Amino acid sequence: MSAVSDRLPTFPWDKLEPYKKTAAAHPDGIVDLSVGTPVDPVPEPIQKALIAAADSPGYPTVWGTPELRDALTRWTEHRLGARGVTHHHVLPIVGSKELVAWLPTQLGLGPGDKVAFPRLAYPTYEVGARLARAEHVAYDDPTELDPTGLKLLWLNSPSNPTGRVLSKEELTRTVAWAREHGVLVFSDECYIELGWEADPVSVLHPDVNGGSYDGIVSVHSLSKRSNLAGYRAAFLAGDPAVLGPLLQIRKHGGMMTSAPTQAAVVAALGDDEHVRVQRERYAARRTALREALLGHGFRIEHSEASLYLWATRDESCWTTVAHLADRGILVAPGDFYGPAGENFVRVALTATDERVRAAVTRLAV
């Protein structure tokens, strides 16, 4: 057991605990803008679908019900502009984090193989490589990577933590480069419905992939767009030659989305209205926090999409974390996402309107 845990870095969020205690001591309570966990209610139609499927005594299937696969194919075509998507092009997963962490292992990667991800990135990309004992490399431009031994290339647009959106041209160039060198592309697009100053594009769009899904898979989650983080609801879409073997491996591993959750996903992907309402909530919070941070002397970079503001006062991220914690506001230090983030903090939009107003008031002092 220790041999596995020894491969992993220290869990980053543990380092934030002292600052959380400081923020929690504020007379008006903590404003937690550190972890991007939804705080708004699960939309009622989704709750009703879950409840209606609650009497599910049998095992669910890893591939999901035909109704779920229909919902996944419809959504990818309706929302992402994908074409010709069949049941063989989609695969439900138990939340996106487990997929990111275990994908290199499920792909059979190991020593001598390389996994690449953005220089500023969700830490679990590196964790996945470490669990598989593969090498990991961070990039600024993926097409400048040495393709030798590179087996898995992670893209992330919109980005966590920066909110940066890759343009259609950047995606097209990267997909072409990866195909030229036989590198599998997984594109983490979990924030694709949360574009503010840019309209994010999927690698599934024919303008990016030339009408072929060869060598590309996109990752999608309902955690943020539908407030379903507690449901562990996500899915893959893309190359059947990749998803087919993954389906068989996941059958052996018992990686099944619960039957009630599958029914909830069908309801969630069939309704655009709740997504519009939730976007409006986040947009208002984003505007309020952005103006307050700028007024407090911060500079904000990227942040044109996703649920975060990537902010700096041109000092150590931990100095900024301490400064805000003294005001009862908890944020994530940028170095959680790589050394390149050492002077930034990530500010989540996932707090109630009342808590956002509290943060705005504190930042005005």
Side-chain angles (χ1 to χ4, degrees):
M1 200 66 172
S2 64
V4 175
S5 61
D6 286 349
R7 293 181 219 158
L8 304 178
T10 302
F11 188 62
W13 295 98
D14 291 344
K15 301 177 188 176
L16 205 55
E17 281 302 314
Y19 302 91
K20 187 174 184 177
K21 290 179 181 177
T22 299
H26 190 279
D28 185 38
I30 188 173
V31 178
D32 193 343
L33 305 178
S34 60
V35 182
T37 187
V39 298
D40 300 301
V42 173
E44 188 173 348
I46 302 174
Q47 292 192 46
K48 288 182 176 179
L50 184 86
I51 293 167
D55 186 14
S56 298
Y59 289 112
T61 66
V62 173
W63 201 15
T65 62
E67 292 78 13
L68 174 59
R69 282 177 262 141
D70 283 343
L72 300 181
T73 58
R74 280 196 303 266
W75 185 85
T76 55
E77 295 194 345
H78 162 69
R79 180 60 186 84
L80 305 180
R83 296 289 180 267
V85 180
T86 71
H87 286 195
H88 294 282
H89 291 87
V90 295
L91 178 62
I93 53 178
V94 191
S96 58
K97 184 169 184 175
E98 67 88 356
L99 182 281
V100 174
W102 292 107
L103 178 64
T105 299
Q106 291 175 14
L107 291 173
L109 305 189
D113 298 323
K114 295 178 185 175
V115 177
F117 46 78
R119 178 117 14 229
L120 283 164
Y122 184 46
T124 312
Y125 301 133
E126 179 181 334
V127 167
R130 287 177 176 270
L131 285 171
R133 300 189 184 189
E135 298 176 33
H136 55 87
V137 57
Y139 64 78
D140 293 309
D141 180 346
T143 65
E144 294 178 358
L145 287 165
D146 179 357
T148 305
L150 181 59
K151 298 296 177 63
L152 174 60
L153 172 63
W154 279 107
L155 303 180
N156 181 208
S157 175
S159 163
N160 175 14
T162 68
R164 182 187 172 207
V165 173
L166 296 175
S167 68
K168 187 182 291 185
E169 292 72 25
E170 288 175 295
L171 289 171
T172 302
R173 179 168 57 88
T174 300
V175 167
W177 178 89
R179 284 173 169 168
E180 178 185 351
H181 296 287
V183 177
L184 176 62
V185 173
F186 264 67
S187 181
D188 183 345
E189 301 174 355
C190 289
Y191 297 91
I192 200 162
E193 299 214 72
L194 296 167
W196 312 115
E197 299 167 12
D199 187 13
V201 178
S202 172
V203 293
L204 299 184
H205 196 286
D207 288 353
V208 171
N209 60 43
S212 167
Y213 300 119
D214 290 352
I216 56 172
V217 177
S218 63
V219 184
H220 296 276
S221 169
L222 285 84
S223 293
K224 306 305 194 295
R225 51 108 57 200
S226 298
N227 299 333
L228 295 190
Y231 285 44
R232 309 315 302 132
F235 65 95
L236 306 177
D239 190 347
V242 177
L243 299 187
L246 280 180
L247 171 60
Q248 298 307 315
I249 292 166
R250 294 173 69 84
K251 284 181 179 180
H252 283 290
M255 294 178 173
M256 300 172 282
T257 304
S258 76
T261 295
Q262 292 187 31
V265 171
V266 173
L269 293 181
D271 175 44
D272 292 334
E273 178 60 16
H274 79 272
V275 180
R276 184 193 66 78
V277 170
Q278 190 60 44
R279 275 181 54 87
E280 288 184 356
R281 289 189 185 118
Y282 283 136
R285 292 166 187 167
R286 178 180 183 273
T287 297
L289 286 170
R290 187 176 188 278
E291 291 177 357
L293 289 166
L294 292 173
H296 197 74
F298 281 86
R299 185 176 77 256
I300 295 173
E301 293 191 359
H302 299 300
S303 307
E304 58 260 30
S306 84
L307 284 182
Y308 312 104
L309 293 169
W310 188 238
T312 181
R313 300 202 313 167
D314 295 309
E315 62 188 9
S316 164
C317 59
W318 290 101
T319 301
T320 305
V321 167
H323 170 80
L324 292 175
D326 286 340
R327 286 153 180 77
I329 301 170
L330 190 67
V331 297
D335 66 2
F336 278 10
Y337 308 95
E342 63 183 1
N343 292 330
F344 285 79
V345 293
R346 192 194 74 170
V347 183
L349 310 180
T350 50
T352 64
D353 293 341
E354 183 275 330
R355 288 288 83 188
V356 168
R357 287 193 295 269
V360 169
T361 299
R362 297 174 195 184
L363 290 169
V365 177

